[in-house]
Amino acid sequence: MSTAPIDPAAAGGTGAGAILALRQVAKAHGRTKVLRDITLDVPRGQFVLLMGGSGSGKTTLVRVIAGLERPDSGTVSLRGAIVDAGAAARFVPPERRGLGMVFQDYALWPHLTCLDNILAAMPGRGPDRALRAQALLRDVAMDGLGGRYPAQLSGGQQQRIGLARALAARPDLLLLDEPLSGLDVEVRARMRDQIRRLVRGSGCSALFVTHDPVDVWRLADRVLVLDGGIIAQDAAPDGLYGRPLSPRVARMTGAEGAFPVTLARRARQWGFDAPGRFQPVTPIGLDGEGPARAYLRPEGVRVAPDGHVAIRTDVTFEAGRWRTLWRLPHLGWSVHSLEHEIPPAHALLEFDARHLFVYPES
């Protein structure tokens, strides 16, 4: 795809200083509203992860930014210039948006070799093009395989060529639509490292669509969570982890539950009454006492001298720790903890309020 971008002076724009700006973008497929009034800015050099469940609108949003779909309303701006004004006449086609794109299905040209796939995306002419293409092959650990065709490569190798081809155009914004979802665990881990290193080294911004929470901690400067076509949360990874704004986001960060509780306030602290104790919590979106739902991460559960009565019901080894399932008869809960040794069959459990989130019952 050509990356000769439009001139900002030639068109009005929004989001001054941002590489990408969306204003009240909406999109429907038939009667289904896929995107609802999306407004956001992406600064230059920022690595943004776009997360959400199936049908949340992630891929549609990326396709609208790329120009592969048109929004029903709102504006899309790149480098301060409007490239799509919804139903209005202003529209810049994908090949003039100056973007690099990496697709889930790789989208390599099957009749071209790896090297030619990269060269075809490289703008300009001159003797250094071949040298730059070879350098990109080395960058993605594909040196010596430039003469092969896509059908002769594994999925991970095709994905590397797709990344090299996207970077060949020297874009200032890279769109990656679930590029790692079809890869095995080992290849996915290597590709994460390569993507982060190459994107950082190029200085471009990136919008990376994923459903894998691991990508958040390994790649992102910023996380956008889409839910029902709206941005449910916009935060840095540590902010997302420390204060997930909805039960869906809490589950993305490892929390389990939807346990019924009655929220109360004691001595200027929020929590709920449990047998023999008051359990502090982190309340989110609540403005008063009453019925609520709790979500708890295993990281916030530990065996302690004093705590909630628990009975061990299962234990499995998981990456150096024992994931233990406990039944809490007095609360009616079943929770997990992560232990360095197999714990006793009966124990007392302590909950860290920083990992125990309570939301409105609805």
Side-chain angles (χ1 to χ4, degrees), residues 256 296-299 301-303 310-318 321-328 333-347 349 351:
E256 306 166 336
L296 177 63
R297 278 196 289 252
E299 291 88 339
V301 180
R302 55 181 173 266
V303 176
I311 302 168
R312 192 189 75 207
T313 60
D314 194 18
V315 60
T316 55
F317 185 75
E318 182 180 292
R321 291 185 292 183
W322 296 95
R323 175 176 283 269
T324 306
L325 179 63
W326 302 92
R327 181 168 63 86
L328 285 73
W333 296 13
S334 290
V335 302
H336 284 100
S337 68
L338 300 172
E339 309 291 343
H340 293 293
E341 298 178 352
I342 297 179
H346 297 80
L349 299 183
F351 299 157

Side-chain angles (χ1 to χ4, degrees), residues 185-270:
V185 173
E186 183 178 352
V187 174
R188 194 181 307 144
R190 291 201 303 267
M191 283 299 299
R192 278 194 197 100
D193 293 340
Q194 288 177 327
I195 287 171
R196 182 175 178 86
R197 176 175 56 83
L198 291 172
V199 170
R200 299 294 187 196
S202 70
C204 69
S205 304
L207 186 63
F208 186 108
V209 175
T210 185
H211 64 273
D212 188 348
V214 175
D215 293 331
V216 171
W217 322 123
R218 303 287 174 81
L219 293 170
D221 297 320
R222 174 184 176 193
V223 186
L224 301 174
V225 180
L226 278 185
D227 189 5
I230 66 171
I231 298 176
Q233 187 157 0
D234 179 352
D238 59 339
L240 187 83
Y241 187 81
R243 191 171 179 80
L245 295 184
S246 71
R248 180 184 293 272
V249 179
R251 287 192 293 269
M252 287 179 182
T253 66
E256 306 166 336
F259 305 119
V261 298
T262 300
L263 189 69
R265 191 170 176 84
R266 303 279 187 273
R268 304 174 69 177
Q269 187 174 47
W270 288 101

Side-chain angles (χ1 to χ4, degrees), residues 9-198:
T14 60
I19 187 69
L20 169 68
L22 305 181
R23 294 293 180 268
Q24 296 181 303
V25 168
K27 176 69 178 177
H29 291 157
R31 295 184 177 180
T32 303
K33 293 182 179 180
V34 183
L35 301 175
R36 304 167 183 259
D37 296 329
I38 300 292
T39 294
L40 66 92
D41 291 322
V42 175
R44 293 180 181 273
Q46 190 173 70
F47 202 123
V48 180
L49 246 70
L50 186 61
M51 293 191 69
S54 178
S56 61
K58 305 185 303 294
T59 294
T60 298
L61 181 58
V62 170
R63 289 177 62 82
V64 165
I65 294 167
L68 301 174
E69 292 190 40
R70 297 206 63 190
D72 299 325
S73 59
T75 61
V76 179
S77 297
L78 292 168
R79 307 167 199 90
I82 293 177
V83 295
D84 201 332
R90 179 172 292 168
F91 176 73
V92 175
E95 65 271 15
R96 291 191 58 220
R97 295 197 178 190
L99 304 174
M101 299 188 66
V102 182
F103 299 93
Q104 181 179 352
D105 59 358
Y106 317 130
L108 300 176
W109 289 294
H111 63 291
L112 298 180
T113 65
C114 295
L115 182 63
D116 287 338
N117 261 279
I118 296 171
L119 286 169
M122 196 171 287
R125 300 181 181 276
D128 69 326
R129 293 176 78 250
L131 293 175
R132 287 196 287 122
Q134 291 287 357
L136 282 168
L137 283 172
R138 289 193 296 273
D139 284 341
V140 296
M142 291 290 288
D143 193 22
L145 299 180
R148 293 192 182 182
Y149 290 87
Q152 298 173 303
L153 304 177
S154 68
Q157 289 172 327
Q158 290 186 56
Q159 194 59 275
R160 294 178 197 178
I161 297 301
L163 178 61
R165 187 182 65 178
L167 292 172
R170 294 178 174 173
D172 50 12
L173 178 59
L174 187 63
L175 304 179
L176 304 103
D177 186 8
E178 299 207 44
L180 307 181
S181 61
L183 306 180
D184 62 47
V185 173
E186 183 178 352
V187 174
R188 194 181 307 144
R190 291 201 303 267
M191 283 299 299
R192 278 194 197 100
D193 293 340
Q194 288 177 327
I195 287 171
R196 182 175 178 86
R197 176 175 56 83
L198 291 172

